[in-house]
Structures are given as C-alpha cells and as structure tokens.
Amino acid sequence: MKQMYKKVKIMLLSFVAVLFCLSINAHAGKIVLANDEWTLSNSGFFSPNDPGVFATNVGSWFTGGSTGNFLAYSSNFGLTQSSLANAMTSAGNAWTVSTAVPFTLATLQSYDAVFLSGNSASNSVLIDYVNAGGNVYLAGGTGWGGSVAEANQWKAFLNNFGLGFGTYYNGIAGSIAIDNSHPIFAGVDHLYQNNGNDALDILALDPQSTVLVSYNGHGLYAVYESYTPPTVPEPSTFVLLAAGLAGAGFFVRRRKK
C-alpha cells in the first residue's frame, strides 16, 4: 500500500516539476550599444580610463558570469587593436577578429557574442541572432558613410529592440566619468569618447531597453536585455493535473478501505 502511494506521489510530483520548468523565463539575447568606437581602441587605454575592465565586464554580462567565445566582426580600429585583444584573452576569453567568416545565424551561434563597429552586416541576421539568445556589442561614431548613413545602417536591427543611433555626431570627446551601477560598469571610472553617434532609447516605456550613461543630454551607452514572459500552461493542463490529484486521492482512500 505504502509503495503504491509512493509511486503515485512521485508521478504527480514529476508532472508538477515539468509544469514548473515550462513556466521559467527563457532569456533571449542582450545588446550593448556604445556611441563611439574609440573607447576600446588603443587610444582609449590610458589613465584614467578603464576600457579593459569595461570590455571584460561586457563579455561577462553576455555570458552570465563565465568566460566566453567572442567574434569581432570588424576591420575598424576600435575593435581590432592589441590592447582590447590582450584584455579579453587575459581574462580567459577566446577573441577572434575576422570579417571573412560567413555572416549567418549558424556562424554567429557558434559564438557567445559578436562585436560590431563600422563594417556593415545583415540586420535581419542580427535580429534572429538576438531573438535566439545571442548577444551583440555595437559601437557607432566610425564615420563610415557619414553620421546619417551610419545610423541608418543599423536602424532595422536596433529599432527592433527599442534602440537607435542618433543621425549626427555628438562632438563629445575626452575621458568621461562613468557613474552607473550596471554590471558592465563595475570598476569603471572613466571611458574615452571621440565624436560618436548618440545611443538612443526609442521606446521609453519599455524597461528592456534603456540608456545607462548620458553626458550633456547625449546618450553614450545603452543596453537591451530581452526575455520571454513566463509560459502559462493551457487550461487543459491544469484540468489534467487536478484530475490526477483527485484520482490519486480516490485511489488511496479506496485502498485504505
């Protein structure tokens, strides 16, 4: 009798566990939007700036705290120079700089994140990548085609996640103090800027996208962290669960008689 009751109990608990797993938030990807590419260039790696800490923080935020495998899909100096590569690899990350790899969803999904600046890339692939759980760092201010063309180059991708680039270069230059508690700025006091595209939050009421750091009214750094709302089981699922519990109770009562 006790063994039979125990088996029924285990089956019901397993069923409840499955429902619980279905209801857990399934996190999609993250985006870090930087107004300017000079931040992570060799020129940005001088006191009092902390670009190495910032870059490794971004990588850690993307991966949830572990080291990662990252692709810098760019020929722009802001992502291809030695100081950034040394910072990322010294922290235990794999850091690949290449524009020769196919820019497809399958390729990007072999990396924990893609870092972009300057070189154009498929906006639709990036949208699919983030929706599938991929992460993107994108820096503006590169001068490729001018400020309007640069903003429009990434518009479809960024607007899909409530972000955007300003259509003019903001003229902000120098080491800018950073005062924000977001994990990507942990231990970061200053970061270098040199005339970037403003980072915009175009959906102010959406808490998933936000500008974290501004200077004189210009957005310098913004993020997007998406998630899938909890899955609500179908009513029929709850009916089955209730029927199972009721049946188990009836069965146990009958056995006791």
Side-chain angles (χ1 to χ4, degrees), residues 108-219:
L108 297 188
Q109 286 184 315
S110 65
Y111 297 93
D112 293 303
V114 58
F115 286 64
L116 301 163
S117 185
N119 303 66
S120 62
S122 170
N123 281 228
S124 60
V125 168
L126 288 171
I127 291 170
D128 290 343
Y129 178 55
V130 172
N131 282 333
N135 305 292
V136 175
Y137 175 95
L138 174 58
T142 67
W144 283 49
S147 59
V148 174
E150 184 159 15
N152 289 335
Q153 174 178 303
W154 306 107
K155 183 176 181 179
F157 165 58
L158 292 176
N159 286 185
N160 191 76
F161 299 104
L163 298 173
F165 272 137
T167 55
Y168 59 90
Y169 294 132
N170 55 34
I172 296 173
S175 299
I176 304 300
I178 304 297
D179 183 15
N180 189 276
S181 61
H182 192 279
I184 65 173
F185 296 118
V188 176
D189 293 324
H190 291 78
L191 291 172
Y192 183 64
Q193 325 292 321
N194 191 2
N195 199 26
N197 294 80
D198 282 7
L200 307 176
D201 175 7
I202 65 171
L203 296 177
L205 297 180
D206 184 355
Q208 297 178 115
S209 57
T210 184
V211 174
L212 297 178
V213 177
S214 296
Y215 183 80
N216 289 342
H218 298 281

Side-chain angles (χ1 to χ4, degrees), residues 47-66:
S47 182
N49 301 302
D50 305 294
V53 176
F54 172 63
T56 54
N57 284 350
V58 168
S60 181
W61 185 59
F62 281 159
T63 62
S66 62

